[in-house]
Structures are given as structure tokens and as C-alpha cells.
Amino acid sequence: MGKRIRKLKNVRLHREGTDTLLYVGFILIAVAVILWKSFDTKIPFWIFTVVAGALYLAVVNFYRCPKRFYDGDTEGIVVAPADGKVVVIEEIEETKYFHDRRMMISIFMSPLNVHANWFPVDGRVKFVKHFDGNYHKAWLPKASEENEHADTMIELEDGREVLVRQIAGAMARRIVTYAKDGEDCYIDEHMGFIKLGSRVDVFLPADCEVCVKMNQITTGDQTVIARI
């Protein structure tokens, strides 16, 4: 696709978590200081410090954002848009945009996974649409249509199209999409971020070669899920 333009984010913690980590850190420190000064015994302080420290590290883990590169030719390659587990591999009749048969591959992200999302293919963003909805458990089939979600349509160089759907789960309450209408997009770029447990669906041409299996663990921007 010619010279690839990479807009990589050279960070270890995702920018979506900067404010959260800062505010929570201040609050925890303030509570710890109060406990230290308010009791003759330091047991409450140490109990709080251990518990709060463990919870804070869990939040830090959630917002981690590894710097990744796909090592290989990206032509005809579809990479996993997220870390997680493959929960759906199914040929479906897609009636919202394509009105034809599509191969849908879905990846479920638990709260322990990296929640940054990557573009799965090289191409151009045709449009991005956000839809309000419910918050069913993300692995349920109805979540793809009924839950709050954001759709990003990507047009490949040969004119074929790939749809990526970011889906909010039972715990997720915020979907962030960095993709913009009309922009070129590339594997290795961040497409967005979903806070807490969630799912990403990829709708591919029905004749694609699926390269993953059910329940397979995926690594975003690294695992090849299909060839088209």
C-alpha cells in the first residue's frame, strides 16, 4: 500500500488512564496519611496500604499500553484488534451495512487484558458511528447488536471493506474511538480503547481464510486472525 505512515504511541500507560490514576493516587495517599496520624497503632494504616496498593496496581495493569509492531508484510493480513479470547467464529448474514454473508470473528477482553484496540488492517476509514444501547455480558451473541457499540468501516486498497465493532460489556461504560472519517489507517496504530470488560467484532469477506480457533488467546496487533 505504498509507504506506511505509523502514528505509534510510545507509552507504557495509556493516556485514557492518566487522570484516573492521578486522582485515585492522590485520594489513596490522603487516606493513608489520615490513618497514619489518627491512630496510635499503625495496623489500620498498613492494612489499608496493602489492600489499596493491590487495587491500585490492578488499575495500573488495566491501563498498561505495550508498544507493539507487527513483524511482517501486512498485505492481505488481518491482525487481532485486541488482546483477549476468540469467542465467535461464524459466517453470518450481515444486514446493517453489507447485506451479504460475512465472516465474523469476535474477541472478548476480560478486565485483566490490555484494553487498547488496534486497527486490524491497512486501509482508509470510511466512517465511524456510535450507537447507544444495553450492557449485556460482552460474550453473549446479542451483545453485538444490542449493547452500546462503535462501528468503524475500513476500505482496503482493492475496494473491499472490513467492519470493526467495539462493544461495551456488562462492566464497560466508555468506548473511545480514535479513528476519523477519511483518514488512512494502518496495522500498528491504535484504533481506540474500551474501559473494563468488553469485546471487539471484526466482519470480514466470507471467503477469507480464518487463522484462529475458538477459545484461542489473541495478542492485539500480533496474532493473525485471518487472510483476505
Side-chain angles (χ1 to χ4, degrees):
M1 181 181 275
K3 187 177 181 179
R4 303 179 68 230
I5 303 173
R6 300 174 184 267
K7 295 174 289 186
L8 301 176
K9 300 175 171 36
N10 187 16
V11 293
R12 289 299 178 186
L13 290 176
H14 202 281
R15 67 188 189 189
E16 294 298 332
T18 302
D19 290 344
T20 299
L21 292 171
L22 186 62
Y23 296 149
V24 171
F26 279 142
I27 292 172
L28 295 181
I29 291 173
V31 173
V33 170
I34 292 172
L35 291 175
W36 179 269
K37 294 183 176 181
S38 299
F39 296 92
D40 293 333
T41 175
K42 303 307 179 186
I43 293 178
F45 167 81
W46 287 114
I47 291 176
F48 174 80
T49 300
V50 171
V51 174
L55 293 175
Y56 190 77
L57 289 176
V59 176
V60 170
N61 179 71
F62 173 80
Y63 284 112
R64 71 193 188 279
C65 185
K67 179 179 177 181
R68 293 174 181 167
F69 298 89
Y70 177 73
D71 185 18
D73 186 2
T74 60
E75 184 175 356
I77 292 297
V78 183
V79 299
D83 288 13
K85 181 173 70 173
V86 177
V87 293
V88 176
I89 302 174
E90 182 181 9
E91 185 174 333
I92 65 166
E93 187 71 26
E94 204 289 322
T95 58
K96 192 170 187 177
Y97 301 113
F98 300 107
H99 305 288
D100 62 10
R101 303 293 291 178
R102 290 278 147 171
M103 181 62 67
M104 182 174 77
I105 301 176
S106 302
I107 297 172
F108 172 72
M109 294 175 283
S110 79
L112 297 179
N113 287 128
V114 171
H115 273 57
N117 300 150
W118 285 263
F119 286 106
V121 293
D122 293 341
R124 179 181 292 272
V125 177
K126 290 191 68 175
F127 62 77
V128 179
K129 297 181 180 181
H130 185 274
F131 300 88
D132 294 330
N134 296 316
Y135 295 96
H136 301 301
K137 294 178 180 178
W139 60 81
L140 296 176
K142 62 183 178 181
S144 184
E145 294 293 335
E146 297 183 12
N147 278 24
E148 179 181 349
H149 60 276
D151 290 345
T152 300
M153 184 71 76
I154 302 171
E155 183 177 20
L156 307 182
E157 188 176 29
D158 61 9
R160 290 184 292 177
E161 295 174 333
V162 171
L163 175 68
V164 186
R165 176 168 293 162
Q166 298 168 279
I167 303 169
M171 297 174 63
R173 287 296 184 271
R174 187 182 180 201
I175 297 174
V176 181
T177 304
Y178 305 135
K180 302 296 182 183
D181 296 3
E183 285 189 348
D184 290 338
C185 61
Y186 302 96
I187 289 172
D188 290 346
E189 290 185 335
H190 283 170
M191 186 186 76
F193 191 92
I194 312 178
K195 293 190 176 182
L196 300 180
S198 45
R199 164 177 158 182
V200 180
D201 294 348
V202 183
F203 297 82
L204 302 166
D207 61 354
C208 71
E209 175 191 352
V210 177
C211 301
V212 288
K213 299 178 181 179
M214 284 291 295
N215 298 316
Q216 180 175 333
I217 302 301
T218 62
T219 302
D221 197 50
Q222 300 293 291
T223 303
V224 176
I225 63 173
R227 300 179 187 275
I228 53 179

